[in-house]
Amino acid sequence: MGSATRATPALHDMEAAELSAAYRQGVLSPVEVTRAVLDRIGHWEPQLLATYLLRPEVALAQARASEERWRRGQPLGPLDGITVTIKENIASAGDPVPLGTAATTLVPAAADAPPAARLREAGCVMVAKTTMPDYGMLSSGLSSFHPLTRNPWDTNRGPGGSSAGAAAACAGGYGPLHVGTDIGGSLRLPAGWCGVFSLKPSFGRIPIDPPTLGRVAGPITRTVSDAALMMQALSRPDARDTMCLPPADIDWASVASVQPEFLKGLRIGLLMDAGCGLPVETSVHEAVEAAAALLERAGAIVEPMAPFMTQGMLDGMDHSWRMRSHLDMAGLPAERRARVLPYIRQWADSVAGMSGAALYQAQQQFFATRVATLRACAVYDYVISPVAPMPAFDAELPSPTDDPLHPLEHIGFTVPFNMSEQPAASVPCGFTPQGLPVGLQIAGPRFDDLGVLKLARAFELIRQPMRAWPQP
């Protein structure tokens, strides 16, 4: 993307594969790269506020250990010495997990959660955790615990969420690799709004602890190839995830060699109406239509697709999540409950009088969404759509509507693929006239994570040149 416009990218802008090759050749050291990433963070962080537990000396100690492994010719793998940030709700041993809210009692985590464990085993240098909103239930960088996180492309705008800090850090050049989580769009929405790539993998592909219906962890990177490189480590099994997929021999490395010819003959559904929520804004509509035209010119067969979601499906899932959060907060002491972001409290408490029958009907919408999504996608190889109906919105707002009774009107394109367990990616496809990134969502059949990555990589090769990365 933007780094490609420079003959020699700055160390903090280099791709993971480039860094790994340079370590192998001995022309770069994990220590000098980590120092460059920390310097970049130092310049951007006063404006972006994307990190939690930024500890330079801890990162440099990990980098020195990696440097010694490379010197001995005994790296732990291709990710050894590559810097990574991890969303703060993914536990890392010895660190508290605030879940984005001031209501949490800060207790050091006993062990690494699976994604953190896999990256530590791979030798990654963990430079920081990244911010998220209260309980991960907002698509914004607004939190009662963390400072307000902002978008590097326009610091008056938010990065999206709930993987807010991860996407802002990626766009800001805080190194090549970042990990977030997603239960309704929390990887793809911030990636789309920050102009970076993300894969929400098939449910169970990346083990996570604790596992929850629809919840996944996934990579946020500047390039598709870097995400595929991360998948080699992140998709390794972990017995703590009782819903993880069986181990599979997936050739993640093959993504890097994909050519535009991959697109020829693919039947792709183009979904421009989610069937629920907010309408797609003109600038987003134009960027996605232009992306579809590029795919057609490259040999894909792109067909308009009828909406399959309904407002009732979206509202039902919303009300189920409200009840879960309402019950979680009801168990808190009054003084801690008062620390939760008021918007989240109002959202959750709106279902206090909900009947059992109404809750049952609301919960059934998860399954109804799953069935409708899989049925609609079955006739296509892949489905493309906007990631969100609008570009990045005001940083101070908790949601595009700023209405706790209509808070999820922007997730109509993303949430169905959480419920259907299908892999879905966000890849940058253009900019609005105001210079804000637009994300193209690419969804594939269940378990075809590799195909989604290959289609995203092929699109990366044929799209218009992207703009230079924003600077502090």
Side-chain angles (χ1 to χ4, degrees):
M1 287 178 59
S3 58
T5 63
R6 292 185 292 273
T8 305
L11 296 184
H12 63 258
D13 280 334
M14 288 181 69
E15 296 179 30
E18 295 174 323
L19 291 171
S20 188
Y23 296 163
R24 189 174 299 107
Q25 296 159 12
V27 297
L28 280 179
S29 147
V31 173
E32 65 180 310
V33 172
T34 300
R35 288 191 190 281
V37 169
L38 290 168
D39 184 61
R40 176 67 166 186
I41 295 173
H43 283 95
W44 250 134
E45 190 59 5
Q47 297 165 69
L48 301 186
L49 299 168
T51 66
Y52 167 63
L53 300 181
L54 175 63
R55 294 170 296 198
E57 286 310 313
V58 173
L60 287 167
Q62 295 173 34
R64 285 189 284 270
S66 173
E67 181 181 63
E68 181 58 29
R69 289 192 295 271
W70 280 106
R71 186 179 289 129
R72 294 196 312 265
Q74 298 176 329
L76 298 175
L79 295 181
D80 202 335
I82 311 296
T83 62
V84 65
T85 74
I86 299 175
K87 188 176 177 180
E88 61 101 319
N89 66 339
I90 298 173
S92 49
D95 299 327
V97 185
L99 301 177
T101 179
T104 302
T105 300
L106 299 181
V107 178
D112 286 333
R118 298 296 86 78
L119 293 172
R120 201 185 297 275
E121 292 160 4
C124 287
V125 175
M126 299 183 184
V127 293
K129 305 297 284 285
T130 51
T131 60
M132 61 182 279
D134 289 55
Y135 301 113
M137 292 312 297
L138 294 176
S139 294
S140 82
L142 190 63
S143 161
S144 62
F145 180 83
H146 301 292
L148 178 64
T149 306
R150 295 179 180 271
N151 191 319
W153 293 97
D154 179 351
T155 54
N156 292 314
R157 310 281 181 138
S162 64
S163 302
C170 186
Y174 293 20
L177 307 182
H178 309 269
V179 183
T181 60
D182 189 317
I183 199 171
S186 289
L187 283 162
R188 291 154 290 159
L189 290 163
W193 286 326
C194 289
V196 296
F197 178 78
S198 182
L199 173 70
K200 181 208 77 66
S202 297
F203 182 72
R205 177 70 70 207
I206 294 176
I208 195 166
D209 182 39
T212 306
L213 177 68
R215 180 174 181 249
V216 300
I220 296 179
T221 56
R222 287 182 170 185
T223 67
V224 179
S225 295
D226 272 358
L229 193 62
M230 289 187 82
M231 290 299 292
Q232 295 182 31
L234 290 171
S235 61
R236 290 175 53 211
D238 194 298
R240 290 174 289 176
D241 187 342
T242 54
M243 293 190 279
C244 69
L245 296 174
D249 186 16
I250 297 172
D251 187 10
W252 302 110
S254 65
V255 171
S257 61
V258 166
Q259 295 300 313
E261 288 72 25
F262 176 81
L263 300 168
K264 289 183 178 176
L266 290 180
R267 190 179 179 199
I268 297 175
L270 172 61
L271 183 69
M272 294 303 301
D273 178 359
C276 59
L278 295 166
V280 177
E281 293 188 11
T282 300
S283 60
V284 173
H285 196 285
E286 290 175 349
V288 173
E289 289 279 7
L294 285 174
L295 292 168
E296 273 196 310
R297 286 203 290 273
I301 302 159
V302 180
E303 302 175 1
M305 192 174 174
F308 53 85
M309 283 283 288
T310 68
Q311 191 66 40
M313 292 175 186
L314 183 62
D315 290 345
M317 292 185 284
D318 175 17
H319 282 77
S320 293
W321 282 325
R322 294 187 204 201
M323 182 59 78
R324 184 189 70 181
S325 295
H326 173 68
L327 294 175
D328 286 345
M329 286 189 287
L332 295 176
E335 70 277 8
R336 281 176 53 198
R337 188 179 176 283
R339 298 177 204 155
V340 177
L341 201 69
Y343 183 97
I344 292 289
R345 291 205 313 268
Q346 188 177 347
W347 168 74
D349 290 348
S350 67
V351 296
M354 195 175 190
S355 70
L359 178 59
Y360 174 79
Q361 291 298 331
Q363 288 177 329
Q364 289 301 100
Q365 299 313 305
F366 290 111
F367 187 70
T369 299
R370 175 191 181 89
V371 171
T373 307
L374 289 169
R375 183 177 294 143
C377 294
V379 297
Y380 301 104
D381 296 314
Y382 299 96
V383 170
I384 61 172
S385 73
V387 172
M390 76 290 294
F393 56 94
D394 191 310
E396 308 281 344
L397 296 182
S399 72
T401 59
D402 193 25
D403 180 356
L405 300 184
H406 298 92
L408 303 182
E409 302 300 297
H410 57 288
I411 71 168
F413 289 107
T414 52
V415 71
F417 299 109
N418 292 83
M419 299 311 131
S420 66
E421 306 186 7
Q422 293 169 253
S426 173
V427 60
C429 69
F431 290 83
T432 69
Q434 293 75 35
L436 297 172
V438 176
L440 174 73
Q441 181 172 243
I442 299 172
R446 289 174 70 206
F447 318 129
D448 188 21
D449 306 67
L450 186 61
V452 168
L453 286 170
K454 287 183 173 181
L455 176 49
R457 173 58 184 154
F459 176 74
E460 216 177 29
L461 293 171
I462 65 170
R463 72 182 172 196
Q464 300 301 311
M466 301 300 285
R467 301 184 183 186
W469 292 106
Q471 300 300 321

